């Protein structure tokens, strides 16, 4: 995949393993300051590099770039791990906390869905940390974003993530592309 210009100053391009430090920095904010990720410790750049390499063996991994800065990323990964589910994937998107609501998430998912459709993927799933009441660690932003992108809730696991002294649910959403 080549670079795709989405606006005058934002473009989408494939991630390379050399992008690991920038992506790890974006993700670290969510690990350390929010319940968006259920990880407790942010992965190092080297750990992140390994995640990128493993993902790229089979699935797209995309970066949103503004100027020279990566402002977000999205990737797909295997869903369930069974042959019968090979036309399904799980997707994730993270946007730098100071660049949210700038269109990067939408641009990443739109390009991701195009790429996945070209691979014969039919169903796309995402898991989202969720709570009935927002708090300082978790808002409904991710759920609202996915709803705007055409995803619908298909499952909810109650009190399955414990972080910052609070219990959080995990909601699964799906979209048929």
């Amino acid at each position: 995949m080549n670079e795709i210009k989405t606006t005058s100053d934002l473009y989408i391009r494939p991630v390379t393993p050399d992008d690991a430090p920038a992506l790890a920095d974006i993700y670290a904010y969510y690990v350390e300051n929010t319940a968006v990720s259920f990880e407790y410790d942010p992965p190092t750049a080297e750990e992140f590099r390994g995640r990128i390499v493993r993902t790229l063996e089979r699935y797209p991994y995309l970066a949103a770039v503004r100027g020279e800065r990566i402002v977000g990323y999205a990737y797909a990964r295997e869903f369930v791990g069974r042959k019968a589910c090979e036309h399904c994937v799980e997707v994730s998107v993270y946007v730098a906390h100071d660049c949210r609501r700038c269109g990067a998430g939408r641009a990443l998912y739109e390009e991701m869905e195009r790429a996945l459709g070209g691979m014969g993927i039919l169903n796309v799933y995402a898991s989202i940390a969720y709570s009935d009441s927002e708090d300082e660690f978790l808002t409904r932003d991710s759920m609202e974003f996915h709803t705007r992108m055409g995803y619908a809730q298909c499952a909810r696991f109650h009190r399955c993530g414990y972080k910052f002294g609070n219990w959080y649910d995990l909601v699964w959403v799906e979209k048929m592309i």
Side-chain angles (χ1 to χ4, degrees):
M1 182 189 114
N2 295 324
E3 295 177 358
I4 308 252
K5 194 163 206 122
T6 61
T7 66
S8 61
D9 67 340
L10 180 74
Y11 66 94
I12 306 301
R13 66 159 174 81
V15 164
T16 72
D18 291 339
D19 295 322
L23 275 55
D25 284 346
I26 291 170
Y27 186 61
Y29 172 83
Y30 292 97
V31 173
E32 294 171 340
N33 299 291
T34 77
V36 167
S37 168
F38 283 173
E39 288 195 71
Y40 280 19
D41 300 308
T44 65
E46 196 54 38
E47 289 173 300
F48 221 92
R49 177 183 298 275
R51 292 179 184 189
I52 291 168
V53 168
R54 284 187 298 280
T55 298
L56 287 173
E57 290 173 358
R58 186 165 175 198
Y59 296 109
Y61 210 131
L62 305 175
V65 181
R66 177 166 281 127
E68 297 296 315
R69 179 182 176 206
I70 294 176
V71 296
Y73 65 92
Y75 61 94
R77 66 178 165 257
E78 186 176 57
F79 178 75
V80 179
R82 300 290 187 261
K83 183 73 173 162
C85 296
E86 69 181 6
H87 297 285
C88 307
V89 296
E90 181 182 353
V91 293
S92 294
V93 63
Y94 289 91
V95 174
H97 71 280
D98 61 336
C99 295
R100 291 176 302 189
R101 293 181 176 80
C102 71
R106 173 174 290 281
L108 284 162
Y109 261 21
E110 287 172 350
E111 185 54 35
M112 179 64 69
E113 289 172 7
R114 273 192 285 279
L116 293 170
M119 296 172 59
I121 300 299
L122 303 175
N123 305 342
V124 182
Y125 300 93
S127 59
I128 301 168
Y130 188 81
S131 177
D132 285 326
S133 57
E134 294 182 282
D135 63 28
E136 64 187 293
F137 304 109
L138 187 65
T139 67
R140 291 202 189 94
D141 288 354
S142 185
M143 188 66 172
E144 291 168 1
F145 167 76
H146 283 85
T147 299
R148 283 191 308 275
M149 293 300 298
Y151 288 74
Q153 182 176 326
C154 59
R156 183 170 179 175
F157 300 92
H158 299 273
R159 297 175 50 97
C160 63
Y162 186 77
K163 194 168 178 182
F164 302 121
N166 300 305
W167 284 102
Y168 296 100
D169 297 352
L170 187 64
V171 170
W172 278 87
V173 294
E174 66 181 346
K175 181 177 182 179
M176 308 313 180
I177 58 170

